[in-house]
Amino acid sequence: MSPMPDPAPRASVRRHEIELSWMRSKLSGVPPEFSGGDVPVAEFDPNSRLYDAAASVLDRMGDELAGSSFSVVLADRDCRLVYRWFDDPRFESTLDELGIRDGADLAEGTVGTNAVGTTFETRKGIIIHGAEHYIEPFKTFTCYGHPIRHPVTRRLEGVLDITGSSDVSNPLLAPFLARAAQDIQQRLLDQAKTSERVLLAAFQSVARQRRAIAAVGEDIVLTNRTALDLLGPADYAVMRMLTEDLDRGTRSIDLTLDSGIAVRVHLTRIAGADGGTLFHFDPIAMPSARPVLPSRPHEVETTSSAGPVMVAGARGTGRSAEVRRLARPNTVEFRNCADVAVEGESAWGKRLRERLERPGGAVCVEHIDLLPAALIDVLAEAISNGGGPRLYLTSLPLSELDGAHAALAAVCLRRVELPPLRERGPELATIAQRMVRELDPTAGIRLLPSVIEVLAAQPWPGNLHELKAVVSYVLQRRRVGDVTVGDLPAAYRLVSRVRRLSGRERAERDAIIEALRRHDGNKLQAARDLGISRTTLYARLKALRITDGGLSIS
């Protein structure tokens, strides 16, 4: 290629897209005089699908650009630097001085306007002339950036960049870069898993139907126009959860979508698609506005309106809230059995007996699993006599009760079992958004599907109380916009989908996750701690489907 002058615009007359980029950089707090420092660096998979597809293209680009003083950079879908090739040693020195090495974050919010970060923001190819860069060290370069999109999903897979001296530009570089990006995209398609092609074929065979159709694979989601209009961000996370839980070839389930529309979902496992699943959505008329969810509280008996009601579940599953819902419109008086230790059996029992002898209203005796045996008789007698207030009892799961406590629970003909939060994955988006409104009604945040998936995969030993603490943490840091995995507490960013793991695999997964957390996500140190090579660790991370979305890794 013979250089052809393409004069850079004057710094005082910035293009509109550059003005917007500078504004984003400024709002992100990037100092124009940036001279290096703590540029976030994350470990990446050197054998990723993107790098495998790009390798031969990058080699060819290096051969064709040799002697031209241009350099090549490749960033992944997270805007992390995954490849550097330098024919111009000045650019290499500049990056090294700024601390920008493999795995470094090149986003506008980190290093300001640049051909990688700005392409990542705009999803379009762009040329950044010297003075148009936001930070001073980059102003000596002209950079060409072009997005790399997956040919099937159209998702941004990475950004390809060519950089040269600010006083040397070439109008042929932009089309040269675009062709290279297209070559990588074609290789992504060529290297696509057979399962994805099977998934695509199955989707295309039914996609023209008027009903809403979607297909979900390991790393791909396809929808027709009807489904695109119907589904919201949270619904995609729910679909992935249902795919994980599908243990037979087909299944039908009633759901309420993120939009409030009730649908009957038909799931079909696609043979040869490595777990890929086809979804058909049929709107249905629901008699109640209350969402129909797959893991809503299980009522053993709902026909009897008389007698006490037992609400059981692990701590933090929302037993008190469920009692208030059941008792409406009555206001509930709560009597906590834990207070017996403070007040004494006699005084606490006397107050309870006096209240139960007065009719009207609703009373909830909480934590009957903590009730001394002598006071169980007080409750049993009140239930036997009847005529008092509407009575509700709460306890640990019924399976954990024995002796007199189990006998007392058995007297309640209406029993509601609340599932633990870890079993309410499809509901989690609704629950979390409700908590957001309760904690901060003015907040305007949206949980991205990736966040919902990460949260749904957590074990949640603290149930709703634990989730509320996580939501509070997020609201302290973000009150508007999209919540990403990086906005979550660090301990909640590392997850594994474990539903189909054996006992040995679960133990292995737990050991790996604990090692990664112990070493703040550093895979090299974690591998040494576990006594395995980093290559073996990468293989086990992939096999056990452990992800580290947003975890700080060095």
PDB file of all heavy atoms in Angstrom, residues 36 112 148 206 260 267 301 318 384 414 421 432 482 532 545:
ATOM      1  N   GLY A  36      -0.627   7.010  32.884  1.00  0.00           N
ATOM      2  CA  GLY A  36      -0.426   5.631  33.304  1.00  0.00           C
ATOM      3  C   GLY A  36      -0.861   5.436  34.738  1.00  0.00           C
ATOM      4  O   GLY A  36      -1.235   6.364  35.440  1.00  0.00           O
ATOM      5  N   GLY A 112     -10.106   6.950  27.921  1.00  0.00           N
ATOM      6  CA  GLY A 112     -10.664   8.006  27.089  1.00  0.00           C
ATOM      7  C   GLY A 112     -10.846   7.595  25.637  1.00  0.00           C
ATOM      8  O   GLY A 112     -10.763   6.422  25.273  1.00  0.00           O
ATOM      9  N   ILE A 148     -15.882  -6.367  15.334  1.00  0.00           N
ATOM     10  CA  ILE A 148     -15.982  -7.746  14.861  1.00  0.00           C
ATOM     11  C   ILE A 148     -17.264  -8.314  15.457  1.00  0.00           C
ATOM     12  O   ILE A 148     -17.392  -8.425  16.683  1.00  0.00           O
ATOM     13  CB  ILE A 148     -14.776  -8.592  15.318  1.00  0.00           C
ATOM     14  CG1 ILE A 148     -13.474  -8.002  14.764  1.00  0.00           C
ATOM     15  CG2 ILE A 148     -14.938 -10.041  14.891  1.00  0.00           C
ATOM     16  CD1 ILE A 148     -12.223  -8.636  15.349  1.00  0.00           C
ATOM     17  N   VAL A 206     -38.932 -23.056  12.082  1.00  0.00           N
ATOM     18  CA  VAL A 206     -40.208 -22.649  12.694  1.00  0.00           C
ATOM     19  C   VAL A 206     -40.307 -21.141  12.891  1.00  0.00           C
ATOM     20  O   VAL A 206     -41.344 -20.638  13.328  1.00  0.00           O
ATOM     21  CB  VAL A 206     -40.407 -23.357  14.056  1.00  0.00           C
ATOM     22  CG1 VAL A 206     -40.542 -24.852  13.878  1.00  0.00           C
ATOM     23  CG2 VAL A 206     -39.262 -23.016  15.015  1.00  0.00           C
ATOM     24  N   GLY A 260     -45.375  -8.451  32.227  1.00  0.00           N
ATOM     25  CA  GLY A 260     -46.635  -8.705  32.910  1.00  0.00           C
ATOM     26  C   GLY A 260     -47.574  -9.578  32.103  1.00  0.00           C
ATOM     27  O   GLY A 260     -48.664  -9.932  32.572  1.00  0.00           O
ATOM     28  N   LEU A 267     -41.248 -25.952  25.828  1.00  0.00           N
ATOM     29  CA  LEU A 267     -39.817 -26.135  25.635  1.00  0.00           C
ATOM     30  C   LEU A 267     -39.562 -27.470  24.955  1.00  0.00           C
ATOM     31  O   LEU A 267     -40.161 -28.488  25.325  1.00  0.00           O
ATOM     32  CB  LEU A 267     -39.064 -26.118  26.965  1.00  0.00           C
ATOM     33  CG  LEU A 267     -39.059 -24.852  27.819  1.00  0.00           C
ATOM     34  CD1 LEU A 267     -40.348 -24.682  28.593  1.00  0.00           C
ATOM     35  CD2 LEU A 267     -37.887 -24.903  28.794  1.00  0.00           C
ATOM     36  N   GLU A 301     -52.882 -27.511  51.412  1.00  0.00           N
ATOM     37  CA  GLU A 301     -54.342 -27.525  51.418  1.00  0.00           C
ATOM     38  C   GLU A 301     -54.848 -26.096  51.331  1.00  0.00           C
ATOM     39  O   GLU A 301     -54.419 -25.239  52.093  1.00  0.00           O
ATOM     40  CB  GLU A 301     -54.849 -28.188  52.700  1.00  0.00           C
ATOM     41  CG  GLU A 301     -56.362 -28.145  52.877  1.00  0.00           C
ATOM     42  CD  GLU A 301     -57.078 -28.882  51.762  1.00  0.00           C
ATOM     43  OE1 GLU A 301     -56.751 -30.054  51.535  1.00  0.00           O
ATOM     44  OE2 GLU A 301     -57.941 -28.257  51.119  1.00  0.00           O
ATOM     45  N   GLY A 318     -39.143 -15.308  53.558  1.00  0.00           N
ATOM     46  CA  GLY A 318     -40.293 -14.408  53.451  1.00  0.00           C
ATOM     47  C   GLY A 318     -41.534 -14.913  54.151  1.00  0.00           C
ATOM     48  O   GLY A 318     -42.650 -14.634  53.714  1.00  0.00           O
ATOM     49  N   SER A 384     -57.777 -25.787  69.625  1.00  0.00           N
ATOM     50  CA  SER A 384     -58.885 -26.700  69.916  1.00  0.00           C
ATOM     51  C   SER A 384     -60.152 -25.946  70.302  1.00  0.00           C
ATOM     52  O   SER A 384     -61.255 -26.296  69.868  1.00  0.00           O
ATOM     53  CB  SER A 384     -58.485 -27.666  71.034  1.00  0.00           C
ATOM     54  OG  SER A 384     -59.556 -28.508  71.385  1.00  0.00           O
ATOM     55  N   ARG A 414     -54.190 -26.127  56.695  1.00  0.00           N
ATOM     56  CA  ARG A 414     -53.683 -25.327  55.571  1.00  0.00           C
ATOM     57  C   ARG A 414     -52.225 -25.010  55.846  1.00  0.00           C
ATOM     58  O   ARG A 414     -51.893 -24.321  56.802  1.00  0.00           O
ATOM     59  CB  ARG A 414     -54.493 -24.050  55.402  1.00  0.00           C
ATOM     60  CG  ARG A 414     -54.092 -23.240  54.178  1.00  0.00           C
ATOM     61  CD  ARG A 414     -54.944 -22.001  54.029  1.00  0.00           C
ATOM     62  NE  ARG A 414     -54.529 -21.220  52.877  1.00  0.00           N
ATOM     63  CZ  ARG A 414     -55.023 -20.021  52.569  1.00  0.00           C
ATOM     64  NH1 ARG A 414     -55.959 -19.475  53.342  1.00  0.00           N
ATOM     65  NH2 ARG A 414     -54.597 -19.371  51.507  1.00  0.00           N
ATOM     66  N   LEU A 421     -34.570 -19.450  48.285  1.00  0.00           N
ATOM     67  CA  LEU A 421     -34.343 -18.559  47.150  1.00  0.00           C
ATOM     68  C   LEU A 421     -33.588 -19.250  46.023  1.00  0.00           C
ATOM     69  O   LEU A 421     -33.811 -18.957  44.850  1.00  0.00           O
ATOM     70  CB  LEU A 421     -33.579 -17.310  47.620  1.00  0.00           C
ATOM     71  CG  LEU A 421     -33.362 -16.214  46.571  1.00  0.00           C
ATOM     72  CD1 LEU A 421     -34.693 -15.724  46.026  1.00  0.00           C
ATOM     73  CD2 LEU A 421     -32.572 -15.062  47.181  1.00  0.00           C
ATOM     74  N   ALA A 432     -35.999  -9.193  42.901  1.00  0.00           N
ATOM     75  CA  ALA A 432     -34.954  -8.173  43.040  1.00  0.00           C
ATOM     76  C   ALA A 432     -35.481  -6.789  42.674  1.00  0.00           C
ATOM     77  O   ALA A 432     -35.180  -5.799  43.359  1.00  0.00           O
ATOM     78  CB  ALA A 432     -33.756  -8.537  42.168  1.00  0.00           C
ATOM     79  N   ASP A 482     -28.032   0.563  33.527  1.00  0.00           N
ATOM     80  CA  ASP A 482     -27.953  -0.895  33.553  1.00  0.00           C
ATOM     81  C   ASP A 482     -27.001  -1.366  34.638  1.00  0.00           C
ATOM     82  O   ASP A 482     -25.865  -0.870  34.754  1.00  0.00           O
ATOM     83  CB  ASP A 482     -27.472  -1.429  32.206  1.00  0.00           C
ATOM     84  CG  ASP A 482     -28.507  -1.234  31.113  1.00  0.00           C
ATOM     85  OD1 ASP A 482     -29.686  -1.027  31.459  1.00  0.00           O
ATOM     86  OD2 ASP A 482     -28.140  -1.272  29.923  1.00  0.00           O
ATOM     87  N   ILE A 532      -2.190 -27.731  40.484  1.00  0.00           N
ATOM     88  CA  ILE A 532      -2.396 -28.077  39.079  1.00  0.00           C
ATOM     89  C   ILE A 532      -1.827 -26.961  38.217  1.00  0.00           C
ATOM     90  O   ILE A 532      -1.522 -25.875  38.704  1.00  0.00           O
ATOM     91  CB  ILE A 532      -3.894 -28.278  38.752  1.00  0.00           C
ATOM     92  CG1 ILE A 532      -4.686 -26.997  39.062  1.00  0.00           C
ATOM     93  CG2 ILE A 532      -4.458 -29.464  39.517  1.00  0.00           C
ATOM     94  CD1 ILE A 532      -6.165 -27.093  38.718  1.00  0.00           C
ATOM     95  N   ARG A 545     -18.111 -25.236  34.036  1.00  0.00           N
ATOM     96  CA  ARG A 545     -18.909 -24.050  33.660  1.00  0.00           C
ATOM     97  C   ARG A 545     -18.829 -22.983  34.752  1.00  0.00           C
ATOM     98  O   ARG A 545     -19.836 -22.405  35.149  1.00  0.00           O
ATOM     99  CB  ARG A 545     -20.350 -24.458  33.385  1.00  0.00           C
ATOM    100  CG  ARG A 545     -20.461 -25.524  32.315  1.00  0.00           C
ATOM    101  CD  ARG A 545     -21.887 -25.886  32.022  1.00  0.00           C
ATOM    102  NE  ARG A 545     -22.543 -24.805  31.291  1.00  0.00           N
ATOM    103  CZ  ARG A 545     -23.813 -24.864  30.910  1.00  0.00           C
ATOM    104  NH1 ARG A 545     -24.545 -25.913  31.205  1.00  0.00           N
ATOM    105  NH2 ARG A 545     -24.354 -23.869  30.254  1.00  0.00           N
TER     106      ARG A 545
END
